[in-house]
Amino acid sequence: MRSIDWIDGALVIVDQTRLPGETVFLRLTSVEDVVGAIRRLAVRGAPAIGVAGAFGVALAARQHEGDAAAQAHAVHLLENARPTAVNLARQARRAAGRLPSFDAVLAEAMRIRDEEIASSTEMARRGADLVERLCGTGARLLTHCNTGGLATVVDGTALAVIFELYRRGALGGVIASETRPLLQGARLTTWELGRAGIPHRLAVDSAGPFLMARGEVDAVILGADRICANGDVVNKIGTYAHALGARAAGIPFICVAPESTVDTATASGADVEIEDRGAAEVVGTAAPAGTAAVNPAFDVTPAGLVTAVVTDTRTFSGRADGADRLAVG
Ligand code: MRU
């Protein structure tokens, strides 16, 4: 199942806000539809929103045919629907390079979609090879947020590595971290692991470092929304705490992301806009009404805490813009 695709003249996505209870497909036919779906996380995950942004530009080309100013405004809205994952602005701009022709933009968006599918296959193989080299057969892995087919097009990034290890008979166990406050791990990763028939356990985010300290985790493996020139990894809030836990426990911390997530134009994580999604998601029904909150949706893990970054073309440690490659890659 593709979580995002172009079907009969519309962008069709699985509405991730309805999972795991219901599998509902949405047909998006306007730029406003796409921007809204990205903002409310009906489509989410760095590669997936990049693909959505590219198809959104195709919708803009059709919707505003012959009106270059309106098309440019639509591209601006798409690029800025969410700020942190580099994929969105990058892929929307790439597709916009084919304007004003609807056919040319659509063809570019389809190329972007197909590249992400091919990337997942490569990352799965490279990542599984690395985990086997670092941890041996039967690794017990902890993952955070959702990095499966829902977050890409099919298969995923870090979760694709877990699927591949399972296919190889080399997976010792999976702990999915629930991912407060929107529960991408609890709602989506468990759903994808369950569909694949892979045994797994769910843990609250704050249990991760303790489970590592107790010797129940052989490696942490997760995705990224942006990998900066210096190798800093920007990813879902909670990632940094898992990285600190992994360092304290002396286990590998592996980030898996396509090259479309690597942003060598951004020097470090300090230069990345971290989306704050407001108080309501945090305060919910538990806190007294009116409680103030801070809600960063992402955090920055310094490159020095990252054992390896696996992309579709390379495996490296240290800087993303240098030749500082990991020998085991
Ligand atoms: O806010 P989200 O759910 O879009 O955040 C997603 C993540 O942080 C993922 O870990 C990241 O995009 C990698 S997805 C392959």
Side-chain angles (χ1 to χ4, degrees), residues 41 44-47 82 145-147 151 157 184 223-225 235-236 298:
L41 273 57
R44 50 144 295 283
R82 292 185 77 191
C145 196
N146 171 264
T147 62
T157 62
Q184 290 92 332
D225 290 84
N235 190 48
K236 179 54 56 190
F298 302 94

Side-chain angles (χ1 to χ4, degrees), residues 7-239:
I7 301 173
D8 296 336
L11 177 58
V12 177
I13 61 163
V14 177
D15 185 347
Q16 300 191 38
T17 66
R18 307 281 286 271
L19 291 170
E22 294 173 297
T23 307
V24 175
F25 289 88
L26 300 177
R27 282 178 64 80
L28 311 179
T29 56
S30 71
V31 170
E32 293 71 23
D33 285 352
V34 178
V35 169
I38 292 171
R39 285 200 180 132
R40 68 186 184 87
L41 273 57
V43 57
R44 50 144 295 283
I49 62 174
V51 173
F55 281 119
V57 177
L59 292 172
R62 189 174 67 191
Q63 200 175 330
H64 301 294
E65 193 184 350
D67 186 343
Q71 288 177 347
H73 179 64
V75 172
H76 176 79
L77 291 177
L78 288 160
E79 280 180 31
N80 292 290
R82 292 185 77 191
T84 305
V86 68
N87 306 60
L88 176 56
R90 167 175 284 163
Q91 307 293 36
R93 273 184 213 140
R94 181 174 151 188
R98 301 289 173 157
L99 284 169
S101 161
F102 166 74
D103 288 340
V105 174
L106 183 61
E108 191 69 25
M110 289 191 175
R111 268 192 292 278
I112 289 168
R113 174 202 62 194
D114 293 345
E115 285 170 16
E116 292 297 353
I117 293 170
S119 284
S120 284
T121 306
E122 274 305 301
M123 286 183 282
R125 183 182 62 73
R126 302 179 68 86
D129 288 350
L130 179 67
V131 170
E132 288 207 76
R133 286 189 206 189
L134 293 177
C135 305
T137 297
R140 299 160 303 161
L141 302 176
L142 182 143
T143 191
H144 186 60
C145 196
N146 171 264
T147 62
L150 292 169
T152 54
V153 180
V154 289
D155 296 334
T157 62
L159 210 56
V161 173
I162 289 173
F163 295 148
E164 174 63 15
L165 286 165
Y166 183 69
R167 272 192 291 272
R168 293 182 185 183
L171 184 66
V174 184
I175 293 174
S177 177
E178 67 174 352
T179 319
R180 280 278 299 153
L182 294 182
L183 303 176
Q184 290 92 332
R187 294 187 300 108
L188 307 176
T189 300
T190 55
W191 184 75
E192 291 201 64
L193 287 166
R195 279 164 55 95
I198 300 177
H200 56 276
R201 293 181 292 165
L202 180 65
V204 298
D205 296 343
S206 47
F210 178 61
L211 293 171
M212 296 174 213
R214 211 163 65 174
E216 296 186 34
V217 179
D218 297 313
V220 174
I221 188 162
L222 38 64
D225 290 84
R226 194 185 294 243
I227 296 167
C228 304
N230 72 342
D232 285 354
V233 169
V234 182
N235 190 48
K236 179 54 56 190
I237 190 74
T239 298

